[in-house]
């Protein structure tokens, strides 16, 4: 049963929280430590991510979900909390983080921005664009980028078909949903081992919702592969 079913109605104006799942190993990055902790322009990558979210006044606080036993990250700021409640999957980490937020007073109608720790190039303006577009939306939404390239279907290493890209978008983060609705969607998916849940929007889709697409930026990419670090650092150093 979703945790929201036993909560009393929310009476205050909605607040907004940020939740960063930060429990992954980042194996594709080829780094000696998890990629979110790799130095980038003089700071661990995740601290650039946190700085962008903290620069948005409507974000009340940030919760960073790390793996149990992970003691790398220590943030001395009253609006940032690091909790070792990460799970083996991103969906599990977000689900546990939502439970922690609710235990600390977040209401079902409050907003949560779930953001990839490794998307360190997001800007406060992009976060504000998402907030402006979704604050009064009945579902919520996500930053996304219209697919710019031709999309191919592959079979055995060869092109099998070209796919119409006119209605295709690349999902980004943050993804913004009501705390109660997202937790209910993830709770329903948990029974199936979170099968098919690749991001928060997919969980909401499985619950019958249609999240709003909010245009993002090509610079808001997720640092994933070794070559991504140099590009991300160059972009960071080019900004004021």
């Amino acid at each position: 049963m979703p945790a929201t079913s036993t909560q009393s109605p929310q009476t205050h104006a909605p607040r907004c929280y940020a939740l960063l799942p930060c429990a992954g190993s980042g194996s594709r990055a080829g780094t000696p430590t998890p990629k979110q902790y790799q130095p980038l322009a003089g700071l661990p990558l995740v601290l650039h991510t946190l700085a962008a979210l903290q620069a948005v006044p409507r974000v009340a606080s940030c919760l960073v979900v790390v793996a149990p036993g992970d003691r790398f990250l220590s943030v001395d700021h009253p609006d940032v909390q690091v909790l070792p409640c990460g799970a083996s999957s991103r969906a599990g980490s977000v689900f546990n983080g939502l439970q922690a937020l609710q235990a600390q007073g977040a209401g079902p109608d409050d907003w949560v921005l779930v953001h990839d720790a490794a998307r360190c190039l997001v800007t406060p303006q992009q976060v504000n664009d998402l907030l402006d577009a979704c604050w009064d939306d009945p579902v919520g939404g996500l930053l996304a980028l219209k697919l710019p390239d031709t999309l191919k279907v592959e079979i055995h290493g060869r092109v099998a078909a070209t796919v119409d890209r006119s209605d295709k978008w690349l999902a980004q983060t943050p993804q913004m949903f009501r705390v109660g609705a997202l937790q209910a969607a993830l709770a329903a998916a948990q029974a199936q081992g979170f099968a098919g849940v690749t991001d928060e929007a997919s969980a909401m889709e499985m619950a019958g919702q249609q999240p709003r697409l909010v245009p993002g930026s090509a610079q808001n990419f997720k640092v994933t592969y070794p070559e991504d670090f140099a590009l991300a650092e160059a972009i960071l150093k080019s900004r004021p």
Side-chain angles (χ1 to χ4, degrees), residues 209-228:
Q209 302 298 322
Q210 293 182 306
R212 178 181 295 277
L213 291 163
V214 180
S217 165
Q219 288 192 358
N220 184 25
F221 64 87
K222 183 163 65 172
V223 174
T224 304
Y225 301 107
E227 59 268 26
D228 293 340

Side-chain angles (χ1 to χ4, degrees), residues 80-135:
V80 178
Q81 184 178 15
V82 181
L83 280 184
C85 61
S88 58
S89 68
R90 173 204 171 90
S93 293
V94 172
F95 183 74
N96 292 347
L98 290 172
Q99 288 186 314
L101 282 176
Q102 289 186 307
Q104 295 168 13
D109 290 332
D110 287 331
W111 290 107
V112 61
L113 298 172
V114 182
H115 186 60
D116 295 323
R119 289 188 191 269
C120 59
L121 298 173
V122 71
T123 66
Q125 182 59 58
Q126 290 160 12
V127 178
N128 276 312
D129 289 345
L130 179 65
L131 289 168
D132 289 342
C134 295
W135 196 266

Side-chain angles (χ1 to χ4, degrees), residues 64-65 130 164 196:
V64 185
V65 175
L130 179 65
D164 178 14

